[in-house]
Amino acid sequence: MLTGIPGLEAAHVWISIPFSTFYIIGLLGNFMVLFVVGKEQTLHKPMFLLLCMLALTDIGTSTSIVPKALCIFWFNLKGITEGGCLTQMFSLHVVSAMHSAVLVTMAFDRYIAICNPLRYATILTNARIAKLGLVGFIRSFLFILPLPLLLSRLPFCANRIIPHTYCDHMAVVKMSCGDTTVNRIYGLVVAFVVIGLDLMLVALSYGLIIRAVLRISSKKSYQKALNTCTAHIFVMLISCTLSLFSILTHRFGQGITPHVRIILANLYYLIPPMLNPIIYGVKTKELREKMGKYTCRR
């Protein structure tokens, strides 16, 4: 039984308004990116393929939680089967880990584009980007698969109530009456190995990029390099900050009011998918022009 946002049940209908608005804007923006890149041959380049991967993961994360949350808010449909709960948890965390892998690949893409521009076309081909995407998916699948398998062996209490809008791993773990030590340790290991390692790789890439940018003597080239990275850095900061906050507050945030923690956890899956297509649509000149071509056509 998913309760929604505990303590704010009376305001569920009002809370659903920003939730559904963010979700619809995110869907429209990300599908627009996929449509424009798919239609325009000139955008069939590594950077735009990565944007398509990011758009797919954004659609996947928000769609994993919002429909069920809106059913709770609008129709009070709080029930979910055990299999459905584990499936939602698995798909949500796989897509989230894939999202993190895409961000790392995008940081690597920008590193090659700025620090080794003459070899960019030979190092990062469309086929290589597709392979990196496949590796990211396999990594996500293999790391997350033990989570539902470990949970399925646990006995659950008679009072199967999850004070949340979706089946998060730690929320389901807390519902068990058995020994959850292995589940808690593995969940923490996955969080720090996947998110922590990815964050380190992103920081390393941008550290090298910043060092290369500071060595550029031409003001025009310096400005161009900075503009190339601005959108990526902004997206990284939003995603990584909200992700780490959501993970850590579930384990160590006993002093944080439950409804605040749950709202922030939901916003992590709603805000980045809504902002990413807007940020890249504004900051990436080629994409902005092509999107303008379709949106402004009468």
Side-chain angles (χ1 to χ4, degrees):
M1 186 77 75
L2 294 165
T3 63
I5 303 175
L8 295 177
E9 287 86 355
H12 272 175
V13 174
W14 295 107
I15 293 169
S16 72
I17 295 172
F19 266 56
S20 55
T21 303
F22 294 162
Y23 179 57
I24 291 167
I25 293 171
L27 284 183
L28 289 174
N30 285 298
F31 276 119
M32 184 68 180
V33 169
L34 293 172
F35 172 76
V36 171
V37 174
K39 289 283 284 184
E40 294 292 332
Q41 288 291 327
T42 56
L43 298 183
H44 291 182
K45 300 174 184 177
M47 186 177 78
F48 298 105
L49 292 182
L50 285 170
L51 288 182
C52 286
M53 288 184 195
L54 187 68
L56 287 171
T57 59
D58 282 339
I59 292 167
T61 49
S62 58
T63 302
S64 294
I65 65 164
V66 174
K68 180 58 184 175
L70 293 179
C71 284
I72 296 169
F73 295 157
W74 288 342
F75 310 114
N76 205 35
L77 297 174
K78 298 180 178 182
I80 186 169
T81 64
E82 185 179 324
C85 189
L86 292 178
T87 301
Q88 185 190 45
M89 184 201 74
F90 176 71
S91 61
L92 177 62
H93 291 310
V94 165
V95 179
S96 297
M98 183 63 194
H99 184 270
S100 181
V102 172
L103 291 179
V104 172
T105 312
M106 291 176 80
F108 178 64
D109 170 80
R110 290 302 86 199
Y111 166 72
I112 299 297
I114 291 171
C115 299
N116 206 346
L118 297 179
R119 296 186 61 202
Y120 178 83
T122 54
I123 294 173
L124 285 178
T125 60
N126 288 348
R128 194 158 288 165
I129 290 295
K131 288 175 184 176
L132 287 172
L134 181 61
V135 169
F137 174 75
I138 293 170
R139 182 197 72 155
S140 305
F141 184 87
L142 293 178
F143 266 107
I144 302 302
L145 184 61
L147 293 180
L149 295 180
L150 288 170
L151 277 171
S152 63
R153 69 179 179 83
L154 290 174
F156 289 101
C157 304
N159 187 23
R160 299 186 174 193
I161 295 174
I162 302 174
H164 216 304
T165 56
Y166 61 87
C167 292
D168 180 78
H169 174 246
M170 280 309 298
V172 180
V173 167
K174 289 174 182 177
M175 197 175 58
S176 173
C177 297
D179 183 9
T180 61
T181 306
V182 174
N183 301 72
R184 289 173 181 271
I185 291 172
Y186 185 74
L188 205 57
V189 167
V190 168
F192 280 102
V193 169
V194 174
I195 304 297
L197 179 63
D198 288 355
L199 198 55
M200 284 173 58
L201 291 172
V202 167
L204 176 64
S205 294
Y206 281 103
L208 294 171
I209 287 170
I210 290 167
R211 188 181 71 172
V213 167
L214 292 174
R215 290 177 177 175
I216 297 173
S217 55
S218 167
K219 188 177 179 181
K220 186 178 179 181
S221 300
Y222 176 86
Q223 192 65 43
K224 185 179 178 182
L226 279 182
N227 285 338
T228 302
C229 295
T230 305
H232 296 273
I233 291 171
F234 192 68
V235 168
M236 302 287 175
L237 286 173
I238 293 172
S239 297
C240 295
T241 305
L242 288 171
S243 175
L244 286 174
F245 181 84
S246 178
I247 290 165
L248 295 174
T249 51
H250 251 303
R251 288 167 174 80
F252 313 113
Q254 286 80 8
I256 299 173
T257 312
H259 68 263
V260 172
R261 188 174 70 242
I262 290 166
I263 288 172
L264 289 173
N266 278 276
L267 289 178
Y268 164 58
Y269 295 114
L270 285 170
I271 299 295
M274 179 184 69
L275 291 181
N276 288 347
I278 297 171
I279 293 168
Y280 286 112
V282 169
K283 294 298 295 181
T284 311
K285 185 182 177 183
E286 289 176 87
L287 184 60
R288 182 175 69 243
E289 288 174 351
K290 298 300 182 184
M291 288 180 79
K293 169 184 165 183
Y294 287 100
T295 53
C296 296
R297 182 184 290 174
R298 293 184 181 181

